[in-house]
Amino acid sequence: MVSSTQPERRKVDVGHPTERRRGRRRLSRERVLAAALEVVDHEGLSALSMRRVAAELDVEAMALYRYAPSKDALLDGLVEQLYTELHEDLAREEPVPLGQAAELPEWRAELRRGACALYRIALAHPHVVPLLATRLLAVPLARRPLAVLQAHERVLALLDRAGLDEPGVVTAYRAVTGWVLGYIFSDLRAMVENPDEPDPAFRLGLHLMPARELPRLRETAPSLTEKGGYQELTDGLDALLDGILAASAARRARAAEPADDGGPASDGERPGSAHGDTPASDDERPGSAGEQPPSADGRSAPDAV
């Protein structure tokens, strides 16, 4: 089980006090986004506003518009912050928190490392995680922050090294990104009805769920409150990759199968009978214009409409 701790609250640096008295504010886009992340980490997405971020930086709200022209820009910036943190995490080349990566091909171990890094970052910033769905659904690919696009590029480059064909790469990309994000959403979904209630059943609000209609859900709910952790994340990723690799190998095998005459058919020789005969021409085929097959009563069949 992976535990998550709230980030330690820190005031965003706003410069030397003398500079503040003189009215100089050495703002930057990075500092504005860092302040926005501080607000959301500790107060939730609902607290995010230009005015609240400005207060965190001890500046006027109008001073922020040069760096974030709208609240949507702030939201996109928060997604960028998470993926920038992912990029920095991967650059440190920290090992996967499981002991089996050394036994895997490098591309597969790196996919695991990226999945675990994003999971770890999501646990550190749970209030930002909903934006990984809403903003990526709303913002076209080419307009996403560079840090997000670099993460996409990294996954595709690793899958290219797996030896997959192009359909396999596309399938694997969708499966890997869908699994990792879906796993994060599942682990961080709201489960507790009353956090002050010591009894587990009342804490989860199971008494509000009809027992006859939802017996299995009520039974499983306490287990669902526990986070799956790195092991379940990588187990699911491995299962997906095993299936995709097997399907890709099967496609290659079917494509390499020889024709019935012992070799692949050439452009001038389409597969015909088991003996390699040339298919009948239109005039020779039953039902062609040259000869209509008889109908069940012995009469010639009418032309097809």
Side-chain angles (χ1 to χ4, degrees):
M1 177 178 130
V2 177
S3 63
S4 161
T5 58
Q6 278 289 79
E8 182 182 353
R9 187 62 189 247
R10 58 182 175 82
K11 187 71 174 178
V12 177
D13 179 27
V14 294
H16 192 275
T18 302
E19 293 175 339
R20 295 202 300 272
R21 285 196 297 272
R22 291 175 181 173
R24 289 184 293 178
R25 304 291 186 264
R26 294 191 299 181
L27 288 178
S28 66
R29 184 170 181 274
E30 290 73 20
R31 289 185 56 236
V32 169
L33 295 182
L37 185 59
E38 279 288 306
V39 170
V40 173
D41 275 345
H42 295 280
E43 301 174 28
L45 270 174
S46 60
L48 184 67
S49 67
M50 288 294 196
R51 185 170 297 179
R52 180 66 191 85
V53 174
E56 188 77 8
L57 289 164
D58 195 19
V59 298
E60 296 294 329
M62 289 302 296
L64 303 184
Y65 284 90
R66 175 181 176 184
Y67 307 100
S70 66
K71 185 173 180 179
D72 278 351
L74 277 182
L75 297 177
D76 291 338
L78 290 174
V79 175
E80 180 180 355
Q81 287 286 93
L82 260 61
Y83 277 92
T84 298
E85 192 171 331
L86 172 66
H87 180 74
E88 294 169 351
D89 194 319
L90 293 173
R92 288 193 290 269
E93 297 187 355
E94 295 182 357
V96 174
L98 296 170
Q100 303 171 343
E103 306 169 6
L104 299 172
E106 184 182 4
W107 67 268
R108 193 156 173 169
E110 283 298 299
L111 280 177
R112 269 191 172 201
R113 196 165 71 91
C116 290
L118 186 57
Y119 179 66
R120 181 167 54 249
I121 291 166
L123 293 182
H125 305 286
H127 295 305
V128 184
V129 167
L131 297 179
L132 298 182
T134 58
R135 296 313 298 166
L136 295 186
L137 287 172
V139 179
L141 176 68
R143 294 190 177 276
R144 294 174 191 172
L146 179 60
V148 177
L149 298 178
Q150 287 172 333
H152 299 337
E153 179 71 17
R154 180 180 183 274
V155 172
L156 287 168
L158 289 172
L159 292 172
D160 277 341
R161 290 160 56 184
L164 294 166
D165 54 10
E166 187 63 17
V169 169
V170 173
T171 298
Y173 172 79
R174 289 173 175 157
V176 168
T177 55
W179 166 251
V180 175
L181 289 176
Y183 186 87
I184 289 170
F185 297 153
S186 178
D187 249 17
L188 293 179
R189 62 189 166 186
M191 293 290 292
V192 175
E193 161 69 17
N194 184 356
D196 298 324
E197 174 59 60
D199 183 277
F202 286 99
R203 180 180 172 83
L204 294 177
L206 299 186
H207 59 289
L208 303 175
M209 302 166 61
R212 289 186 178 180
E213 296 178 31
L214 306 170
R216 285 295 290 124
L217 184 57
R218 282 169 54 99
E219 179 184 0
T220 310
S223 298
L224 294 176
T225 62
E226 302 293 332
K227 289 182 171 52
Y230 295 108
Q231 188 66 61
E232 288 186 16
L233 171 65
T234 55
D235 284 350
L237 183 61
D238 286 341
L240 283 171
L241 291 174
D242 286 344
I244 291 165
L245 288 169
S248 182
R251 280 196 301 272
R252 290 177 184 274
R254 287 195 299 269
E257 285 178 357
D260 292 336
D261 60 357
S266 66
D267 292 339
E269 181 182 344
R270 292 175 294 179
S273 68
H275 303 289
D277 297 334
T278 302
S281 66
D282 289 342
D283 289 340
E284 296 170 336
R285 291 192 193 112
S288 68
E291 180 182 350
Q292 295 289 348
S295 63
D297 59 4
R299 294 175 296 177
S300 295
D303 293 339
V305 177

